[in-house]
């Protein structure tokens, strides 16, 4: 601490001859005369601004504090070891012209007004903890710069900058800059930049950057980047990037090494991901959880993938998509095509009581298969045809070593001539016994439960006679459904 007596006000334009004021001395009588340095108009302007600032803060300095109440962004006052001189108020025009002299870097103040651009030592809360309102405040037309730290509210048209910590409310038309930890509410037209941690509520028109960790709630026009971890809720119009991310993130592009939480993006790239990835393209080396997108690509996946295309080197869980591909897969595939290096590849040829001859490609695993098929119905006509999709699984029962039972759900779209958009659909639940004839050939047969769904009020042509018979029929206003019991007989090859 300084041994010298505290002087709350000092004005100086010449470092060798500063003018010192007491509380009993009128402030502006000591301003230079027009023949010395500043015109009288400056003195009048200073008086008006100083009086307005004093009057606006006087009630909060006098009123007693409520119980357990502090300012919204209150922070502890400067350390007792702080060597900066303390003055409650300061007013400056440009660096070198201020109420604290031409060398203001060794001062700290609670209330600061910079008519153009101010450079000072520090902005600090009131040291008296009994006050109701302790938060410091600084207002500058072009910029507020504090070389040590800035703890409190700052508003400027261009830049708020701190050579140390920057805690509290920061509003800048251009940027909020901090050389160390920054916490609170930071709003900038262009950027929030911290060379330490950046925490709190961050809003920027272009980007926010933290050399270390970023945590809290952030919304960025173009990008949010942290060299350390990123935690909380972050939304960006372009990019979110951090080595470690935990929370909820929404951006066209999200890039991380380790991710945990919910990621919503057009393109999401991570080395290790747990939780939910939702986007157009999701890429992860290791994924645990749910991937949802047009395309999901992983090296190792445990969980659920839902997309038009699911690709993984090793996958365990459930894949749902038009095309599922993996070198090694354990679990349940649900797809138009499910191609696995350790899976199955069989060709089926079969006939049913509907009179159709069908050729199918069966893919998947030994536990669950998917099959796509095409068939013709020569009984109704050579141009009556169908396409189908099936999913089946073995029943955990074996009558003999070369016998297996499977259940199969199949759906077929029937067409008379060209492709018909009418809902002419055959749904079949099949119980099949499969008997091995040779290492690469198996015979299967069994009963089926069938439903034929046709549209009423339209000419279905020969499809109305597709069902061999009807056990019963259900008719609605627009559709009718026919039910019967049938059979399937076929061969599984390869």
């Amino acid at each position: 601490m300084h041994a010298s007596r505290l002087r709350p006000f000092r004005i100086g334009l010449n470092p060798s001859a500063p003018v010192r004021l007491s509380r009993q001395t009128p402030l502006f009588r000591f301003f230079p005369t027009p023949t010395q340095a500043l015109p009288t108009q400056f003195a009048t302007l200073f008086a008006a601004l100083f009086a307005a600032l004093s009057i606006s803060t006087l009630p909060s300095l006098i009123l007693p504090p409520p119980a357990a109440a502090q300012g919204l962004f209150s922070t502890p006052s400067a350390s007792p070891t702080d060597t900066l001189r303390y003055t409650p108020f300061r007013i400056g025009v440009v660096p070198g012209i201020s109420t604290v002299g031409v060398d203001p870097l060794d001062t700290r103040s609670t209330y600061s007004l910079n008519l153009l651009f101010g450079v000072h030592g520090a902005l600090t809360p009131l040291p008296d903890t009994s006050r109701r309102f302790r938060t410091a405040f600084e207002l500058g037309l072009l910029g507020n710069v504090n070389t040590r730290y800035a703890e409190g509210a700052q508003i400027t048209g261009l830049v708020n900058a701190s050579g140390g910590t920057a805690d509290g409310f920061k509003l800048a038309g251009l940027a909020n800059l901090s050389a160390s930890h920054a916490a609170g509410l930071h709003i900038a037209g262009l950027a929030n930049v911290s060379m330490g941690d950046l925490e709190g509520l961050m809003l920027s028109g272009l980007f926010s950057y933290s050399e270390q960790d970023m945590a809290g709630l952030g919304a960025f026009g173009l990008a949010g980047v942290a060299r350390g971890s990123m935690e909380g809720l972050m939304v960006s119009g372009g990019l979110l990037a951090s080595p470690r991310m935990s929370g909820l993130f929404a951006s066209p592009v999200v890039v991380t090494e380790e991710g945990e939480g919910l990621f919503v993006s057009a393109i999401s790239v991570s080395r290790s991901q747990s939780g939910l990835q939702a986007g157009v393209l999701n890429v992860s080396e290791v994924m645990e959880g749910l991937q949802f997108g047009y395309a999901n690509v992983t090296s190792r996946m445990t969980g659920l993938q839902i997309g038009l295309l699911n690709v993984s080197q090793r996958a365990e869980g459930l894949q749902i998509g038009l095309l599922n591909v993996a070198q090694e897969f354990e679990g349940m595939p649900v797809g138009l095509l499910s191609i696995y290096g350790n899976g199955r590849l069989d060709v089926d040829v079969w006939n049913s009581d509907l009179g159709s001859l069908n050729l199918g490609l069966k893919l998947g695993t030994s536990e669950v298969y998917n099959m796509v098929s095409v068939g013709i119905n020569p009984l109704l006509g050579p141009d009556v045809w169908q396409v189908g999709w099936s999913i089946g699984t073995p029943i955990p029962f074996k009558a003999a070593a070369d016998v297996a039972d499977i259940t199969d759900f199949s759906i077929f779209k029937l067409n008379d001539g060209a492709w018909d958009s009418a809902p002419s659909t055959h749904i079949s639940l099949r119980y099949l016994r499969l008997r091995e004839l040779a290492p690469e050939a198996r015979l299967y047969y069994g009963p089926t439960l069938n439903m034929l769904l046709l549209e009423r009020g339209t000419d279905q042509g020969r499809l109305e006679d597709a069902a061999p018979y009807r056990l019963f029929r259900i008719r609605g206003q627009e559709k009718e459904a026919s039910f019967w019991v049938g059979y399937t007989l076929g061969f599984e090859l390869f």
Side-chain angles (χ1 to χ4, degrees):
M1 297 290 291
H2 288 283
S4 60
R5 182 165 55 89
L6 173 65
R7 299 180 184 273
F9 304 99
R10 185 182 69 180
I11 298 177
L13 297 179
N14 186 344
S16 63
V19 180
R20 303 186 183 276
L21 307 181
S22 68
R23 294 183 181 272
Q24 291 77 28
T25 305
L27 174 64
F28 293 98
R29 62 176 289 188
F30 287 94
F31 269 94
T33 63
T35 60
Q36 290 177 299
L38 292 176
T40 305
Q41 290 82 355
F42 264 112
T44 305
L45 178 60
F46 283 165
L49 291 173
F50 190 86
L53 182 61
S54 302
I55 293 172
S56 64
T57 58
L58 185 61
S60 63
L61 297 174
I62 297 176
L63 292 176
Q70 290 185 344
L72 180 60
F73 295 107
S74 293
T75 57
S77 60
S79 170
T81 61
D82 197 331
T83 59
L84 300 179
R85 294 180 299 104
Y86 176 71
T87 61
F89 304 94
R90 67 187 178 207
I91 299 176
V93 182
V94 294
I97 304 179
S98 71
T99 58
V100 293
V102 297
D103 187 16
L105 301 185
D106 62 344
T107 63
R108 56 188 175 95
S109 302
T110 301
Y111 304 103
S112 177
L113 176 62
N114 300 309
L115 300 181
L116 291 178
F117 191 91
V119 179
H120 303 94
L123 183 70
T124 182
L126 279 174
D128 187 355
T129 58
S130 66
R131 296 297 184 182
R132 182 179 184 182
F133 187 80
R134 298 179 53 244
T135 302
F137 181 79
E138 185 170 34
L139 176 65
L141 179 62
L142 300 180
N144 301 315
V145 177
N146 291 273
T147 59
R148 297 288 188 90
Y149 55 85
E151 299 179 356
Q154 292 180 295
I155 300 175
T156 182
L158 291 181
V159 177
N160 290 314
S162 172
T165 60
D167 297 341
F169 172 71
K170 314 295 179 186
L171 175 62
L174 190 63
N176 294 308
L177 310 176
S178 172
S180 184
H181 174 86
L185 172 57
H186 291 198
I187 303 174
L190 182 65
N192 294 310
V193 177
S194 173
M195 301 311 293
D197 297 333
L198 183 58
E199 300 177 352
L201 175 60
M202 300 148 281
L203 306 175
S204 58
L206 190 61
F207 71 95
S208 289
Y209 172 82
S210 173
E211 183 69 16
Q212 297 182 16
D213 299 335
M214 182 183 295
L217 174 63
F220 322 118
L222 182 62
V225 178
R227 294 288 298 272
S229 65
M230 183 180 290
E231 299 180 359
L233 170 60
M234 305 291 174
V235 179
S236 172
L239 169 69
L240 290 173
S242 174
R244 298 175 302 278
M245 302 177 71
S246 176
L248 172 59
F249 305 94
S251 175
V253 179
V254 178
V255 179
T256 183
E257 290 188 7
E258 300 177 10
E260 181 178 353
L262 173 60
F263 292 68
V264 180
S265 63
I267 300 175
S268 179
V269 180
S270 66
R271 177 170 294 178
S272 176
Q273 176 77 36
S274 62
L276 170 62
Q277 262 188 326
V280 177
L281 173 63
N282 300 311
V283 180
S284 179
E285 185 174 344
V286 179
M287 175 67 198
E288 295 182 0
L290 169 62
Q291 280 187 317
F292 180 82
Y294 284 96
N296 303 307
V297 181
T298 66
S299 179
R300 297 189 302 275
M301 190 280 294
T302 302
L304 171 62
Q305 284 183 319
I306 303 175
L308 298 180
L309 172 65
N310 299 311
V311 179
S312 182
Q313 186 174 356
R314 292 191 298 272
E316 181 178 353
L318 173 62
Q319 284 187 320
I320 301 175
L322 290 180
L323 177 60
N324 302 315
V325 180
Q327 184 65 31
E328 299 178 11
F329 181 78
E330 294 183 7
M332 180 177 180
V334 179
L336 184 65
L337 295 174
S338 299
I339 304 172
Y340 304 120
N342 63 337
R344 64 191 299 166
L345 176 60
D346 304 314
V347 176
D348 278 29
V349 180
W350 79 94
N351 172 256
S352 70
D353 56 277
L354 214 62
S356 58
L357 296 175
N358 303 278
L359 177 66
L361 178 64
K362 186 180 289 182
L363 301 166
T365 67
S366 57
E367 291 80 18
V368 180
Y369 67 80
N370 307 138
M371 181 171 63
V372 291
S373 62
V374 62
I376 61 173
N377 195 323
L379 296 181
L380 296 179
D383 54 349
V384 176
W385 57 287
Q386 66 183 30
V387 293
W389 178 83
S390 306
I391 182 171
T393 184
I395 298 175
F397 167 77
K398 274 197 171 185
D402 58 347
V403 175
D405 293 341
I406 60 176
T407 56
D408 178 300
F409 173 82
S410 300
I411 182 169
F412 304 94
K413 174 64 177 67
L414 308 182
N415 301 280
D416 187 355
W419 177 272
D420 189 357
S421 61
S424 308
T425 306
H426 172 212
I427 299 174
S428 181
L429 179 62
R430 308 190 299 176
Y431 182 92
L432 307 174
R433 170 152 291 189
L434 189 144
R435 185 178 299 273
E436 187 173 355
L437 302 178
E440 300 295 336
R442 292 158 292 279
L443 170 70
Y444 62 84
Y445 52 88
T448 61
L449 295 177
N450 303 275
M451 180 184 74
L452 180 63
L453 184 65
L454 299 176
E455 186 173 359
R456 297 191 63 189
T458 60
D459 184 11
Q460 297 291 300
R462 290 168 289 184
L463 300 181
E464 296 179 358
D465 301 323
Y469 69 97
R470 297 180 178 88
L471 288 177
F472 60 92
R473 177 186 298 175
I474 298 177
R475 290 185 173 180
Q477 293 183 351
E478 299 180 355
K479 298 178 179 62
E480 66 174 38
S482 301
F483 298 85
W484 75 96
V485 176
Y487 74 90
T488 291
L489 174 64
F491 294 92
E492 183 184 84
L493 306 176
F494 313 118

